[in-house]
Structure formats: structure tokens, C-alpha cells
Amino acid sequence: QVQLVESGGGLVQPGGSLRLSCVTSGITFSLYRMGWYRQAPGKERELVASITRDDITNYADSVKGRFTTSRDNAKATVYLQMNSLKTEDTAVYYCSAQTAVSSHWGQGTQVTVSS
């Protein structure tokens, strides 16, 4: 079955860094557009970053210059490097794998930015 497993979340002080990983199985990873979404309490889920099959990346304006996403097709894994974290980055971060005909989600990992 398809599995997307995020890791790397945690508690970090403002200005700090975290690296999230999403290991996938059960899909042909190289065919999928991978995305990172987040949902803060009381807010809708929003797209943070995405990376296409051809390594074209896209970022929300709120994270441009601070977050970087990358993928390793050999490891079927996508990453989100988060630098200069702000309190408003606090949320549950979800990994997604999407094609035109299918969509899969991970269970999420909590990121808390607080002093």
C-alpha cells in the first residue's frame, strides 16, 4: 500500500532550522509531483512548497528565501529545509504526492517555533 511518512519536526527557537523528510513507498516516486503543506490551528491547510518530476520548485511567498525543497528519486524521499524559522511557521506539516489521477498524503509532523 501507499505510505508517506514525514519526520524531522519538533520544537525550535525563532531563527532556528529544521529539516523535514518524507519517505514514500508503494508509488513510482519519480512520476509524482511532491508537495509540502501546513495547517496551523484554526487555519486552512496551505501549500508551502512543491517540486515537480523535473525538479521545478515553487514556494509560498511567506517562505521564499527561507525554505528549500528537494527530492531524491533513488531514496523515494522529499525534503524540506526550513531556515530562519518564525513563530508563524508553527503548524502541522504534511507531505503529499500527486499526479493528474492520484493524490496521497502523509500523517503530518508537528513543527513548533517558540522561545
Side-chain angles (χ1 to χ4, degrees):
Q1 72 277 23
V2 178
Q3 284 191 314
L4 282 67
V5 181
E6 301 98 333
S7 62
L11 174 63
V12 64
Q13 292 186 342
S17 298
L18 285 174
R19 188 193 194 206
L20 304 185
S21 299
C22 173
V23 179
T24 72
S25 59
I27 61 172
T28 305
F29 180 81
S30 61
L31 299 181
Y32 281 75
R33 170 183 177 272
M34 301 301 297
W36 288 97
Y37 290 75
R38 68 185 180 188
Q39 187 166 20
K43 295 188 177 181
E44 294 187 352
R45 189 174 296 189
E46 62 173 351
L47 177 65
V48 175
S50 64
I51 182 166
T52 69
R53 297 167 49 180
D54 300 318
D55 287 341
I56 297 171
T57 57
N58 183 55
Y59 299 94
D61 287 344
S62 59
V63 307
K64 280 181 181 176
R66 302 188 297 122
F67 290 12
T68 302
T69 188
S70 60
R71 65 191 295 160
D72 185 334
N73 288 344
K75 295 182 179 180
T77 300
V78 62
Y79 304 97
L80 184 67
Q81 177 67 44
M82 305 186 294
N83 298 328
S84 302
L85 283 161
K86 305 176 180 179
T87 55
E88 52 263 43
D89 294 319
T90 295
V92 178
Y93 284 71
Y94 298 91
C95 169
S96 75
Q98 297 173 353
T99 67
V101 297
S102 64
S103 180
H104 307 285
W105 293 85
Q107 82 289 348
T109 186
Q110 177 70 46
V111 171
T112 302
V113 184
S114 174
S115 55

